[in-house]
Amino acid sequence: MIDGFGNHQDMVNSVCDGFTNSINDIIDKNAELLCNQDGYEILTSVFNQRFRKHDIENANIKQIISIANELSELLENNINIEQVCHFINSALQQSFGEFKAIKFTR
């Protein structure tokens, strides 16, 4: 078991799904929606391919800013760190139910 999932890939898929779902909920409906692969590329570039729940829950400000920058470039819209925290916390909620929420403000 990996963080309550049968294997690591199922856990990663769930987190990426939750991450992109929360982003797609707020982006302009005329924009192209993100897919799980987009979430995977962003999250693994920041947390590495073997990330676990505790890696995400313990994200530091540098990692959050990196995600904000990647999303801002991908979406061609300014994404702030508060939004990134919301996206990550939504992914954790969807995937695990119980989690340690992250929060950073400027």
Side-chain angles (χ1 to χ4, degrees):
M1 283 287 226
I2 304 292
D3 295 329
F5 288 85
N7 60 58
H8 186 260
Q9 193 59 46
D10 288 346
M11 187 273 302
V12 169
N13 287 340
S14 179
V15 171
C16 292
D17 181 63
F19 183 70
T20 56
N21 284 343
S22 65
I23 295 166
N24 288 338
D25 285 345
I26 65 108
I27 63 173
D28 182 348
K29 297 306 175 194
N30 295 323
E32 184 175 332
L33 296 177
L34 300 185
C35 66
N36 277 12
Q37 184 63 34
D38 297 318
Y40 177 83
E41 289 175 11
I42 292 167
L43 294 176
T44 57
S45 75
V46 172
F47 297 112
N48 81 48
Q49 292 182 335
R50 299 299 298 167
F51 73 82
R52 301 277 304 267
K53 177 184 178 191
H54 67 273
D55 297 319
I56 300 169
E57 290 175 323
N58 294 302
N60 61 47
I61 190 67
K62 182 178 175 184
Q63 292 169 315
I64 298 301
I65 290 170
S66 179
I67 292 170
N69 290 339
E70 287 190 52
L71 283 173
S72 293
E73 185 176 319
L74 182 64
L75 298 172
E76 298 178 351
N77 195 352
N78 187 37
I79 302 297
N80 63 47
I81 60 175
E82 290 84 4
Q83 289 173 301
V84 171
C85 290
H86 169 75
F87 301 149
I88 291 173
N89 288 331
S90 293
L92 290 167
Q93 175 67 45
Q94 177 180 307
S95 298
F96 305 106
E98 293 184 24
F99 65 98
K100 182 179 100 180
I102 60 169
K103 183 176 182 179
F104 290 102
T105 57
R106 288 193 183 235

